[in-house]
Amino acid sequence: MNQKTTEVAAKPPFTGAELQKMLDGSPFIHFLGLKVIEADPAKELVTMSCAFRPEFERGPGSGMWHGGPIAAIIDTVGDYALIMTLRRPLPTVNFRVDYLRPAIKTNLVTTAKVRRAGKSVGVVDIDVFNEQKALVAVGRATYSTLAG
């Protein structure tokens, strides 16, 4: 008696180009202007850049980033670190931000590292750096990984 073994091949993680296409498909994320620098599924790591714009200023002419866009960047880059391997959008359950120093007249580089991708939740740590590679903010986010 022959038994057939059926294995369902897992889909490969999204590439950086695929993540970028998804980012650009969202009007709000497109407005942020996030650009994928690195998408490494083996390290469970995603890095994106965001250029400074006057719309992100805390006060007119200050050159200082408002915390709102930084928080949005943290949430988005963290989410995409999980999306890379789970291949679907995930709702944010909770996230927090610690602002460590002002980001003034600088572009930002944000790196998200998956800490846990469980059956019900995923946890991601996120670091935000200025162009001088100084840490300006850190975040931790939790996302629902339940199939929708």
Side-chain angles (χ1 to χ4, degrees), residues 25-136:
S26 164
F28 178 72
I29 298 171
H30 181 74
F31 174 76
L32 286 175
L34 290 169
K35 301 295 179 201
V36 177
I37 297 171
E38 178 183 14
D40 188 335
K43 293 181 182 175
E44 297 182 298
L45 187 87
V46 169
T47 301
M48 297 186 196
S49 64
C50 187
F52 177 74
R53 297 174 24 188
E55 296 91 346
F56 299 153
E57 280 186 294
R58 182 174 180 170
S62 69
M64 182 184 295
W65 279 80
H66 185 283
I70 294 173
I73 291 165
I74 286 171
D75 184 28
T76 303
V77 178
D79 195 17
Y80 275 77
L82 282 167
I83 289 171
M84 176 176 54
T85 54
L86 298 179
R87 299 184 56 89
R88 58 187 163 78
L90 304 164
T92 304
V93 174
N94 188 33
F95 83 100
R96 62 165 284 140
V97 178
D98 292 318
Y99 300 98
L100 305 176
R101 65 173 42 89
I104 302 171
K105 297 179 183 173
T106 184
N107 297 330
L108 300 177
V109 174
T110 304
T111 299
K113 170 75 174 141
V114 175
R115 297 297 177 198
R116 180 179 195 278
K119 290 181 182 178
S120 59
V121 298
V123 177
V124 182
D125 287 330
I126 306 102
D127 293 332
V128 182
F129 299 92
N130 64 18
E131 291 174 314
Q132 292 74 38
K133 299 185 181 176
L135 190 61
V136 298

Side-chain angles (χ1 to χ4, degrees), residues 18 20 65 91 99 144:
E18 289 170 319
Q20 187 66 57
W65 279 80
Y99 300 98
S144 174

